[in-house]
Amino acid sequence: MKDFLFNFKRYKGLRYYSLFLTLVNSIYLFIEIYKFQYIEIYSLNGQIQKEHYQYISNLSNMTNALAIFMVLIYLVYLVVFLVQKNKINVINYFLVHFIFCIVFTCVSFLISFIFAIPIGNLIQQLVILYGAAIIALLYNILNMLYKRAITRFKN
């Protein structure tokens, strides 16, 4: 744990990654909260007028763009860490990523409870990040096992 904190303080890439994802996810959550409050205010007997529907559609497009942006941030930093071939940085990257996802999942559940917003809307971008991280982690583990098997087979 001490090494992880040291690497986090020393390596700017992990700090920037955390900062970017925190910023983008916070904006995402703010827009989702605003969208559901807007729907509550302007829905008349369960119906939404055309101009309000268009505005809500634009908010949804913005949240979709932010979710895609978060995946792109994840993939760019993943490639950067994998290209460096430093196992410690890759492990720290996955730790930071999973800590980020777990913290924002908890924050999303709290927001869902406070504002009565469906939890699926708040964590859909995190599910994509969880899935991408699990796939990348499995790839790294299989790649590492493959390299060990090749090394043992050659000896």
Side-chain angles (χ1 to χ4, degrees), residues 15-33 59 61-74 77 100 104 108 111 121-122 125-126 129:
R15 288 187 301 196
Y16 289 144
Y17 175 73
S18 300
L19 178 70
F20 288 148
L21 276 185
T22 300
L23 180 66
V24 173
N25 197 54
S26 297
I27 294 169
Y28 178 92
L29 291 176
F30 173 77
I31 293 173
E32 281 294 329
I33 293 167
L59 290 174
N61 290 339
M62 286 173 33
T63 57
N64 290 338
L66 287 171
I68 291 169
F69 187 61
M70 278 190 274
V71 171
L72 290 176
I73 290 171
Y74 169 77
Y77 273 92
F100 168 83
F104 267 98
S108 296
I111 290 172
N121 292 32
L122 298 175
Q125 80 287 2
L126 296 176
L129 291 177

Side-chain angles (χ1 to χ4, degrees), residues 12 18 25 31 50 66 68 81 86 88 102 120 139 141:
K12 290 181 181 179
S18 300
N25 197 54
I31 293 173
K50 185 177 180 180
L66 287 171
I68 291 169
F81 282 106
N86 184 341
I88 302 294
I102 290 168
Y139 170 77
I141 290 171

Side-chain angles (χ1 to χ4, degrees), residues 39-50:
I39 290 170
E40 284 181 3
I41 293 170
Y42 291 106
S43 66
L44 305 170
N45 301 325
Q47 294 181 346
I48 298 174
Q49 295 176 352
K50 185 177 180 180

